[in-house]
Amino acid sequence: MSYRSFVRAMLAIAVLVSALVTGSHAQAMNCAVVSSPQFTFGPYDSLSPMALDVQASLVVQCTPATPGQLLNLQVSLAGASQPLQMVNAHTGERLTFVLYADAGRTQAIDSQQVCRMQLPLPGPTLLSLPVYGRVPARQGVSVGTYQSQLAVVLNF
């Protein structure tokens, strides 16, 4: 696999996700990240019994060498330590969050877990891959802005 592109998106609040795309020249499938997910969790009440949930999408454009070519896409996080945490730059406090591949928030995405997608592409195809985020309830943290940056790896 060779590196094809590295996309970095900026975000003022919450989680910044970058995308690293790798692919095989033998398959001649071409994929590029159109937009990286940006999670803005918004106000968090550390006393609330409810988790804070958001959704964003990773948008990828893939073009097969021939119509009907099978796309084997694998998505994972690169080098992320567990648990995932946002940091308050002023206090150093950490706020834990989790990314999921499903709306029910049962399939966590981390550096050990790879989400796979396999489908034939009739031609150039725009894929919108939803990613779900959650900040668990009752984390005793101070008021402030918490940020994190992650790299998402796409292999095709």
Side-chain angles (χ1 to χ4, degrees):
M1 300 273 172
S2 64
Y3 293 107
R4 291 216 182 165
S5 75
F6 186 78
V7 178
R8 189 173 298 266
M10 290 303 190
L11 177 65
I13 300 173
V15 180
L16 168 72
V17 178
S18 300
L20 176 63
V21 180
T22 61
S24 170
H25 292 292
Q27 295 176 349
M29 177 75 68
N30 183 23
C31 291
V33 174
V34 175
S35 70
S36 298
Q38 297 182 19
F39 293 92
T40 302
F41 286 98
Y44 175 76
D45 181 353
S46 63
L47 300 177
S48 172
M50 302 298 294
L52 184 60
D53 291 341
V54 296
Q55 176 184 342
S57 292
L58 173 65
V59 181
V60 180
Q61 171 80 40
C62 291
T63 304
T66 58
Q69 182 179 5
L70 187 65
L71 169 66
N72 290 300
L73 185 64
Q74 299 176 356
V75 181
S76 64
L77 296 179
S81 60
Q82 297 300 316
L84 299 175
Q85 296 179 329
M86 294 179 275
V87 178
N88 182 322
H90 297 293
T91 66
E93 289 179 279
R94 296 180 178 277
L95 186 62
T96 299
F97 68 100
V98 184
L99 298 179
Y100 297 92
D102 66 314
R105 291 172 172 77
T106 60
Q107 299 173 349
I109 301 171
D110 59 38
S111 58
Q112 307 302 313
Q113 179 69 25
V114 176
C115 299
R116 292 179 169 83
M117 171 188 279
Q118 197 174 54
L119 67 144
L121 299 181
T125 304
L126 195 63
L127 303 168
S128 181
L129 309 171
V131 181
Y132 304 89
R134 172 173 283 166
V135 177
R138 296 191 173 158
Q139 298 182 57
V141 294
S142 300
V143 173
T145 300
Y146 291 78
Q147 297 181 340
S148 185
Q149 180 173 339
L150 301 171
V152 175
V153 178
L154 303 177
N155 289 309
F156 57 93

